[in-house]
Amino acid sequence: MGMEGKVRLLLVDDEPHFCRVMAMHLADEGYIVATATSGEEALERFRGEEYHLVITDLKMPGVDGLVLLERIRDLSAEVPVIVLTAYGTVDTAVQAMKLGAFDYILKPVDVDELKMVVARALRMQEITKENLALKASLSAFYRDFSLVAESKAMQDLFPIIRKASEVDSPLLIRGETGVGKELVARVIHASGTRKEGPFTVVDCASLEPERVEEVLFGGEEGEPGKVHLARGGTLLLDQVDELSPRTQARLLRFLEEERVAQMPRVRVVATTTEDLGGLVEKGSFRRDLFYRLRVLEISIPPLRERKEDIPPLVEHFIKKYNARLGTMVERISSRALDCLVSHSWPGNVRELENVI
């Protein structure tokens, strides 16, 4: 656990000799071991001191192992509990697992097995804590970039966004209008290795098809294109599905050159509201370009599929526009919030922001 010498175990068994022998073996591993010879004593100890793991016999007079497990679970959901059971009470051990025990060990106890299970339980506890801490830090980080989300769908997306920020591969971001595709791209850029470089956006849908290639790769008169201006940073191609066949071919050639380069000059991120795979099947988008852009892919769910995000988004936008407009709005009424939550939001987060 990275806590050798500080990990505290509570060993519970109504046989004092067994407690002394097992405590000695576990202490040899560097653990601090406290013992209790009854469930009542164990509960008193657990309430009064911090323990990282509990080992308890199942069959004890008074407060037995199952009751002790339930009481410990009421006090702490994080502390792993290992139960010890005789061969004839395996069914009870299985019941203990259903109540949240980490594992069970048959008596007579094999010391090496006990040590192994204890180490595994502590490692799993550490991994769980690290994951919770990472998720909390990711949530805080993305909240700073207005990626406000509490839904499972978005929380599951955060590690993928973090991974995408750690590499230079082309990235395709899919999602309906207004879900925040450009915002996600900006977060990835700002938290990645190219954060000191420019973040350059080309809106492929707003330009005439014949102009896009010139804007991207430069004009005949030597005017630099966005590809050149984005060197060292990120080039965002918004609505990449709008590219003409000619520009698609030119972009593919550029991406192939970047792929074989020792150090890519620019990281290309493309966004789309369309099903590019469907466009490939229809023949309106190049298959090879599709696969080259989709080295990594992020799909952002629409707001109607993650309505848990609406209340925190409302709170975020109220704070944002209070600061911008000098207003003092504290909150909206419960009735108004219910109306917002029940709305289908075809324009997604952008529409919600406009309403606020």
Side-chain angles (χ1 to χ4, degrees):
M1 288 182 70
M3 302 171 58
E4 288 74 20
K6 297 181 181 179
V7 178
R8 296 178 57 84
L9 311 183
L10 178 58
L11 174 62
V12 189
D13 195 290
D14 59 346
E15 298 179 18
H17 176 70
F18 175 83
C19 282
R20 285 195 298 269
V21 172
M22 288 298 134
M24 179 184 67
H25 286 298
L26 291 168
D28 288 342
E29 299 299 303
Y31 304 125
I32 298 173
V33 186
T35 61
T37 55
S38 70
E40 293 86 352
E41 182 187 358
L43 278 173
E44 187 177 341
R45 281 185 173 276
F46 192 84
R47 289 191 182 103
E49 300 180 60
E50 180 186 10
Y51 293 98
H52 300 99
L53 181 142
V54 176
I55 305 165
T56 181
D57 191 13
L58 274 181
K59 194 171 182 181
M60 296 184 293
V63 175
D64 65 12
L66 280 181
V67 175
L68 177 60
L69 170 61
E70 290 183 290
R71 300 275 177 84
I72 287 174
R73 277 289 154 267
D74 289 340
L75 295 169
S76 172
E78 292 80 25
V79 174
V81 178
I82 298 169
V83 296
L84 310 176
T85 183
Y87 180 77
T89 57
V90 170
D91 289 344
T92 310
V94 173
Q95 185 181 350
M97 297 285 286
K98 292 179 180 177
L99 291 172
F102 176 79
D103 205 346
Y104 70 89
I105 297 175
L106 290 176
K107 283 187 167 183
V109 173
D110 180 285
V111 173
D112 290 334
E113 181 186 8
L114 177 61
K115 290 178 179 179
M116 181 181 67
V117 174
V118 166
R120 190 170 75 244
L122 292 171
R123 178 59 186 151
M124 286 297 297
Q125 182 190 45
E126 182 179 20
I127 291 171
T128 301
K129 287 182 177 179
E130 288 173 354
N131 287 342
L132 289 172
L134 176 59
K135 184 167 284 190
S137 67
L138 285 172
S139 295
F141 174 79
Y142 294 125
R143 187 172 293 270
D144 289 342
F145 283 91
S146 304
L147 265 180
V148 181
E150 292 184 1
S151 64
K152 185 178 185 302
M154 289 300 289
Q155 291 292 326
D156 289 345
L157 207 57
F158 286 172
I160 302 173
I161 294 172
R162 183 64 166 262
K163 179 183 177 182
S165 72
E166 295 171 351
V167 295
D168 266 343
S169 307
L171 167 66
L172 179 64
I173 304 176
R174 296 175 54 239
E176 295 179 4
T177 297
V179 293
K181 298 184 293 296
E182 182 176 334
L183 179 59
V184 168
R186 287 184 181 276
V187 168
I188 291 169
H189 171 79
S191 57
T193 57
R194 294 177 176 268
K195 60 186 175 183
E196 301 301 328
F199 182 86
T200 306
V201 180
V202 176
D203 185 350
C204 304
S206 67
L207 295 168
E208 294 294 327
E210 60 273 11
R211 277 277 297 150
V212 177
E213 184 177 359
E214 183 181 330
V215 168
L216 279 174
F217 300 103
E220 295 179 357
E221 299 177 0
E223 181 182 350
K226 297 290 188 179
V227 163
H228 178 80
L229 297 175
R231 285 193 173 190
T234 299
L235 175 65
L236 175 65
L237 302 177
D238 191 25
Q239 291 298 90
V240 71
D241 51 278
E242 295 285 345
L243 293 180
S244 68
R246 175 187 169 93
T247 307
Q248 289 180 38
R250 183 80 181 271
L251 177 61
L252 176 65
R253 191 159 62 248
F254 171 76
L255 289 172
E256 289 293 345
E257 291 171 357
E258 289 289 279
R259 185 176 65 85
V260 299
Q262 189 171 8
M263 178 63 70
R265 294 166 291 178
V266 61
R267 203 254 177 102
V268 175
V269 177
T271 70
T272 181
T273 58
E274 301 293 329
D275 173 14
L276 282 192
L279 296 182
V280 167
E281 295 306 316
K282 292 177 182 177
S284 59
F285 199 86
R286 293 184 63 117
R287 187 180 300 273
D288 44 9
L289 178 58
F290 171 57
Y291 289 124
R292 177 54 53 209
L293 289 172
R294 204 184 64 160
V295 175
L296 294 171
E297 183 175 5
I298 292 174
S299 182
I300 306 174
L303 190 56
R304 64 180 174 276
E305 294 179 5
R306 49 185 178 99
K307 291 197 170 185
E308 312 96 295
D309 291 335
I310 292 175
L313 280 167
V314 168
E315 181 182 352
H316 169 76
F317 290 137
I318 287 174
K319 290 179 180 177
K320 175 180 176 178
Y321 287 102
N322 274 340
R324 182 175 296 183
L325 303 174
T327 51
M328 297 290 289
V329 177
E330 292 186 8
R331 66 180 69 87
I332 64 173
S333 68
S334 298
R335 185 177 177 185
L337 185 59
D338 288 342
C339 289
L340 294 177
V341 171
S342 64
H343 186 58
S344 61
W345 300 109
N348 291 289
V349 179
R350 184 184 301 143
E351 181 186 356
L352 175 61
E353 181 174 7
N354 290 337
V355 167
I356 298 302

